[in-house]
């Protein structure tokens, strides 16, 4: 049996690469595993040898200690890999297939999955709808920042690349199909971005940059990205976005300087619950700051999409209400302007196949736009630290050497 190494959460600000069990076709007890899931058989699963596994901003929330994640939780939900073992009930996949794994775990059989809402599958998490690999309160499916990972309900969940050699040539772009590219695309779909739209995206992290890339695919007239990190704004500008520096104040006046009007057709929150204040308040936590700003600058009748993560448990929040996910919103503004809101995880399977085709046809180069950087699995702690410090980089972990030629 092969050995397995994985990235584990060791407490606020700390991750370590540890030796861990090789996956089996049964969910075993471990950090974060829901008791009702212990012993769950997975004959419908496959075990993959990881080709690429990415560090996500959602992982970073846990590592900062801003969730109730347990110590020793194996991290990682952005997984691309080669199948090395196939469960008894798998019919359409085989050893050697190269697959992209949606971060949402979905059974494919419940009413939500049948209706295309794979982000809120009813059968994979005993506590509530929806599940993901290596994430707090998501059922305890083991994370994918590892050499080997179990993928349940594989016939349904796995996106097989049609040509393995072609896929390996474009693997850095294809590695973004597990989460951030579909998530950014979903933000544009639900916000109503279309040809000629003006769109404001709060946050120039990887999801914000993916949303900006998607907005350009949709033919938006002007894509404006706001952040207070100069390097991330520079990255957004590198592929044609307008940028505004939120350390200089609220976005409204800066948007007016670009568009000649102080509003946009639609807006996307790619920041989430760890938002900061604007202007002189950029050092202070202000979890409702982005949402309130978006209600202010979104045109009447427009839509705000919220792919940025909000949680029900934030022990590091600035006040008792925010610790429970209760925010002080200027909701009257949104109501008066008849603004609609779209929230929740992205149903990755709704978009990943078409986005794969766009990548394979050279219609989009998402890895370049998010500044993908390959590092080894053992270098994951450094990647987390640099990402936490605001690096304008999407870190891709090269767990098994498939990405050697792309390494810096």
């Amino acid at each position: 049996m092969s050995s397995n190494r994985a990235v584990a959460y060791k407490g606020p600000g700390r991750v370590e690469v540890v030796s861990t069990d090789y996956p089996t076709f049964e969910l075993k007890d471990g950090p974060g595993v829901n008791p009702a899931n212990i012993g769950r058989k997975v004959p419908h699963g496959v075990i993959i040898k990881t080709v690429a596994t990415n560090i996500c901003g959602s992982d970073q929330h846990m590592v900062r200690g801003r969730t109730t994640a347990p110590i020793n939780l194996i991290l990682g939900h952005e997984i691309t890999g080669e199948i090395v073992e196939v469960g008894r009930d798998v019919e359409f996949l085989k050893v050697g297939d190269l697959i992209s794994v949606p971060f949402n775990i979905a059974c494919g059989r419940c009413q939500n999955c049948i209706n295309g809402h794979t982000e809120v599958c009813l059968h994979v998490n005993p506590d509530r709808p929806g599940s993901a690999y290596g994430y707090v309160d998501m059922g305890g499916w083991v994370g994918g920042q590892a050499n080997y990972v179990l993928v349940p309900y594989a016939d349904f969940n796995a996106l097989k690349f049609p040509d393995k050699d072609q896929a390996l040539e474009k693997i850095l772009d294809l590695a973004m199909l597990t989460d951030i590219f579909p998530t950014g695309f979903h933000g544009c779909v639900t916000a109503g971005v279309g040809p000629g739209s003006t769109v404001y995206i709060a946050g120039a992290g990887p999801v914000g940059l993916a949303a900006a890339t998607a907005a350009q695919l949709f033919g938006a007239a002007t894509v404006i990205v706001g952040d207070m990190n100069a390097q991330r704004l520079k990255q957004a500008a590198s592929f044609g976005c307008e940028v505004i520096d939120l350390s200089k104040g609220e976005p409204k006046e800066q948007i007016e300087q670009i568009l000649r009007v102080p509003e946009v057709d639609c807006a996307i929150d790619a920041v989430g619950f760890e938002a900061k204040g604007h202007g002189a308040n950029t050092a202070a936590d202000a979890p409702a700051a982005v949402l309130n700003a978006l209600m202010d600058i979104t045109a009447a009748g427009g839509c705000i999409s919220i792919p940025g993560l909000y949680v029900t448990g934030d022990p590091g929040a600035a006040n008792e209400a925010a610790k429970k996910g209760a925010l002080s919103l200027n909701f009257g503004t949104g109501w008066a302007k008849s603004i609609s809101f779209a929230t929740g995880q992205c149903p990755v399977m709704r978009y990943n196949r078409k986005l794969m085709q766009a990548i394979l046809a050279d219609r989009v180069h998402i890895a370049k736009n998010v500044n993908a950087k390959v590092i080894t699995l053992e270098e994951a702690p450094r990647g987390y630290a640099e990402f936490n410090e605001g690096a304008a980089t999407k870190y891709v972990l090269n767990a098994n050497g498939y990405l050697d030629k792309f390494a810096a």
Side-chain angles (χ1 to χ4, degrees):
M1 181 179 292
S2 299
S3 61
N4 199 17
R5 299 274 286 167
V7 181
Y9 170 61
K10 289 292 186 176
R14 292 181 56 218
V15 298
E16 292 180 12
V17 182
V18 300
S19 295
T20 190
D21 292 338
Y22 183 86
T24 65
F25 294 106
E26 178 182 327
L27 193 55
K28 298 181 179 179
D29 195 8
V33 179
N34 190 297
N37 264 348
I38 295 171
R40 185 171 181 165
K41 307 297 183 184
V42 192
H44 42 69
V46 297
I47 294 171
I48 62 171
K49 187 176 184 180
T50 305
V51 172
T53 177
N54 314 333
I55 296 175
C56 179
S58 298
D59 299 319
Q60 196 74 65
H61 291 308
M62 290 188 291
V63 172
R64 290 190 187 115
R66 295 297 296 268
T67 72
T68 55
I71 302 300
N72 295 319
L73 181 73
I74 301 300
L75 300 169
H77 56 268
E78 300 189 8
I79 315 161
T80 308
E82 181 179 15
I83 296 174
V84 293
E85 292 189 47
V86 175
R88 180 194 67 210
D89 294 345
V90 173
E91 185 175 0
F92 303 113
L93 298 168
K94 64 183 186 301
V95 170
D97 285 346
L98 191 63
I99 62 171
S100 176
V101 181
F103 79 89
N104 325 107
I105 300 172
C107 72
R109 306 166 186 179
C110 71
Q111 194 61 49
N112 282 352
C113 286
I114 291 168
N115 290 337
H117 284 289
T118 54
E119 80 280 18
V120 281
C121 173
L122 300 174
H123 290 160
V124 288
N125 183 355
D127 282 344
R128 62 189 185 196
S131 190
Y133 302 87
Y135 212 82
V136 59
D137 296 331
M138 286 291 190
W141 299 92
V142 179
Q145 289 173 11
N147 296 119
Y148 297 91
V149 189
L150 171 67
V151 177
Y153 300 101
D155 275 332
F156 182 68
N157 284 297
L159 173 64
K160 177 184 172 181
F161 298 130
D163 184 311
K164 190 173 182 179
D165 291 337
Q166 181 193 29
L168 287 171
E169 288 299 313
K170 297 179 178 292
I171 197 64
L172 289 189
D173 291 299
L174 294 170
M176 306 304 152
L177 292 174
T178 62
D179 182 353
I180 66 164
F181 197 13
T183 293
F185 194 87
H186 180 64
C188 290
V189 170
T190 53
V193 178
S197 295
T198 57
V199 55
Y200 173 67
I201 299 166
V207 169
L209 297 174
T213 301
Q216 291 176 340
L217 280 176
F218 275 103
T222 308
V223 180
I224 305 171
V225 180
D227 205 299
M228 52 198 72
N229 180 312
Q231 289 304 309
R232 289 183 172 183
L233 291 174
K234 182 179 178 181
Q235 184 63 29
S238 73
F239 60 95
C241 299
E242 299 284 349
V243 298
I244 60 176
D245 184 349
L246 297 173
S247 68
K248 297 179 180 178
E250 296 290 337
K252 192 168 188 175
E253 291 184 1
Q254 297 182 70
I255 288 172
E256 186 171 18
Q257 291 174 6
I258 296 169
L259 298 177
R260 304 298 185 263
V261 292
E263 62 184 20
V264 291
D265 297 326
C266 47
I268 298 170
D269 174 3
V271 177
F273 74 103
E274 284 196 80
K276 304 291 185 182
H278 300 152
N281 300 313
T282 56
D285 279 359
V290 169
L291 292 173
N292 285 330
L294 297 191
M295 282 189 277
D296 189 35
I297 57 94
T298 302
C303 181
I304 297 171
S305 180
I306 311 171
L309 175 68
Y310 287 84
V311 296
T312 56
D314 175 12
N319 57 63
E320 290 303 313
K323 287 179 181 180
K324 301 175 183 178
L327 308 182
S328 181
L329 295 177
N330 297 331
F331 197 72
T333 299
W335 190 94
K337 295 173 72 174
S338 195
I339 290 173
S340 56
F341 299 83
T343 67
Q345 297 179 34
C346 164
V348 170
M349 293 177 67
R350 195 177 298 176
Y351 310 109
N352 61 352
R353 186 173 299 277
K354 290 182 179 179
L355 293 176
M356 174 190 73
Q357 292 171 174
I359 289 169
L360 294 177
D362 279 328
R363 292 294 306 278
V364 63
H365 301 93
I366 183 66
K368 178 177 181 291
N369 287 4
V370 301
N371 193 28
K373 180 179 180 180
V374 174
I375 59 176
T376 67
L377 186 70
E378 300 293 333
E379 291 176 307
R382 174 173 67 83
Y384 271 97
E386 291 176 0
F387 191 33
N388 186 57
E389 292 167 2
T393 304
K394 178 66 175 177
Y395 289 94
V396 180
L397 303 182
N398 181 18
N400 290 299
Y402 289 88
L403 308 180
D404 285 352
K405 73 176 184 179
F406 299 102

